[in-house]
Amino acid sequence: GDLLAGQDEPTTTSAEDGSFSLTVSDTDAESLTIVSLGGTDVATSRALGDAMTLIASIPATQTQLVVTPLSTLSFYAGEQAGTLEETLGFSDAKPAKSTDHIALAEEADPTGKSLTLYAAQATLIAHTLSKAIPGVEPTAVFQAISAVVVSNSSSLPSSFGDTTFVKNTLEKMLENDSSLSWTGDLQSDLLAVLTSTLQKMYVESDLKALNTIASFGLSTLADDMKAIVDGTASETTASDYLTDVLSKIDQIYEGFELSDKESGYRTIEYAVS
């Protein structure tokens, strides 16, 4: 119940592919909470940090499950877990705690691709904000994301890269923790670099583009966001992301290929009064 490993609670270390097995002796419990700490993201080979906590709550009789960012969002939704999972695209037959969305995405399943995008973006948001903002743990970010998803159940965007969605997540974090504070300018810069990256994430059949951008996000983006908060970032950091984040990724990852169609859009000028 405290999400910590007690002396009488079973623990294990996963294999390199993320698979694991636990032997649970207490069969009297109605449900079990499985907690994953730290580790390495298999797709990007990036360390997630010891504070990265992923959770799945399951019936005590269940023997197969997956622990993912999406099962974590469902856990924090509590009694509204059903609403959250339905909003994200899960079905009653295939809930978050038993759906391998990456395997589905690799089979070009539309729902699997959508879920995989949500999961990758949620991880990136939690990782970068917790690394950039002192006193913030990934769990606090997941809680905020979960609350925002539930509150937008009738109009959730198809991507967590939506600027308003991330803005609402930051504001929910402030609401949940009175010790946090930041200026409007800082929030604007964080939104600029984070959403510019999130909005370039796509799920192709081989997940290559998604995983490349995720790798960039877990490393370079996180470092740049921390520099923005520290006040050590270049004055052009935020605008550089807004202008052409794909070129920043291309400079690091040889062979990265993703076409940005925005440059071909027509520009419309308008006045607001």
Side-chain angles (χ1 to χ4, degrees), residues 67 103 179 194 204 235:
V67 186
S179 68
L194 181 53
E204 297 179 342
E235 292 183 358

Side-chain angles (χ1 to χ4, degrees), residues 14-148:
S14 68
E16 289 187 358
D17 64 355
S19 61
F20 68 94
S21 176
L22 277 172
T23 300
V24 181
S25 59
D26 182 9
T27 56
D28 294 331
E30 292 184 4
S31 63
L32 303 173
T33 302
I34 311 297
V35 181
S36 166
L37 299 174
T40 301
D41 178 58
V42 175
T44 64
S45 299
R46 296 286 182 182
L48 294 173
D50 294 339
M52 181 60 73
T53 305
L54 303 180
I55 310 168
S57 183
I58 62 169
T61 55
Q62 184 167 332
T63 58
Q64 298 289 330
L65 80 154
V66 291
V67 186
T68 72
L70 302 183
S71 70
T72 306
L73 296 180
S74 181
F75 172 82
Y76 283 119
E79 294 181 353
Q80 295 179 297
T83 298
L84 179 138
E85 293 195 15
E86 182 180 358
T87 302
L88 292 179
F90 289 99
S91 66
D92 292 339
K94 293 184 177 181
K97 57 198 171 193
S98 58
T99 299
D100 186 346
H101 53 80
I102 294 179
L104 292 176
E106 290 174 340
E107 297 171 0
D109 178 86
T111 300
K113 293 170 72 172
S114 174
L115 294 173
T116 296
L117 178 60
Y118 279 138
Q121 290 178 326
T123 302
L124 211 57
I125 295 170
H127 177 87
T128 55
L129 290 180
S130 62
K131 183 171 183 176
I133 304 173
V136 171
E137 296 290 337
T139 50
V141 184
F142 279 119
Q143 288 180 48
I145 294 173
S146 178
V148 174

Side-chain angles (χ1 to χ4, degrees), residues 227-242:
I228 288 174
V229 175
D230 292 343
T232 59
S234 164
E235 292 183 358
T236 64
T237 296
S239 60
D240 289 344
Y241 272 84
L242 283 169

Side-chain angles (χ1 to χ4, degrees), residues 169-233:
T169 297
L170 285 166
E171 292 177 349
K172 177 60 69 172
M173 290 167 58
L174 290 175
E175 180 183 324
N176 291 344
D177 188 347
S178 59
S179 68
L180 296 177
S181 65
W182 48 76
T183 66
D185 286 343
L186 177 57
Q187 176 166 299
S188 178
D189 285 346
L190 290 176
L191 281 172
V193 299
L194 181 53
T195 59
S196 292
T197 305
L198 293 171
Q199 289 169 9
K200 303 304 180 189
M201 298 177 80
Y202 307 95
V203 188
E204 297 179 342
S205 57
D206 61 359
L207 304 179
K208 181 179 179 181
L210 178 71
N211 293 337
T212 301
I213 299 177
S215 182
F216 171 84
L218 292 171
S219 51
T220 304
L221 171 65
D223 291 339
D224 284 343
M225 288 177 60
K226 186 175 188 303
I228 288 174
V229 175
D230 292 343
T232 59

